[in-house]
Amino acid sequence: MGKYDDIINLPHHQSAKRPHMSVHDRAAQFAPFAALTGYGDAIDETRRLTCDRPEPGEAELAELDAALSEVLARIGGRPQVEATYFVPDEKKEGGAYVTRTGRVKRVDAVRRRLVFDDGTEINVSDISSLALSDK
């Protein structure tokens, strides 16, 4: 005979005065308390890496200028391009490089932007490489 055999099959006690607590509410009683609200988010933000935006040299600028001229020459056919460009971080210094492939609808010379078919606009000064995908 086991130590708890006399009580193992008894019905679970249910209070007549208090309603039964949900599992979610019961678990909340034992949740850890965060004394420093937002501290974890601050640590995560500090850990997130960004990269600096290097200034392009004359050779890179000449390559970009040639690629942009080629895009302009083919703008009527909506050329497909692959553009790698710098996106500044909204929360801290630096940013990230993003590569996008798509068809260029037009080049906005006044605002100095490439405008893609889907409405995405890329500032020409943010582009680090530009290549035609369909020749």
Side-chain angles (χ1 to χ4, degrees), residues 46 49 84 87 97 114 129 134:
T46 303
L49 297 176
T84 301
V87 178
Y97 281 94
L114 285 182
S129 73
D134 61 352

Side-chain angles (χ1 to χ4, degrees), residues 1-9:
M1 186 151 136
K3 187 176 178 180
Y4 299 105
D5 284 347
D6 59 332
I7 63 169
I8 198 76
N9 292 320

Side-chain angles (χ1 to χ4, degrees), residues 7 12 16 29 31 40 57 65 73 77 85 91 108-109 112 129:
I7 63 169
H12 180 72
Q29 294 181 75
D65 191 40
Y85 58 100
K91 295 185 177 180
D108 186 340
R112 300 194 68 228
S129 73

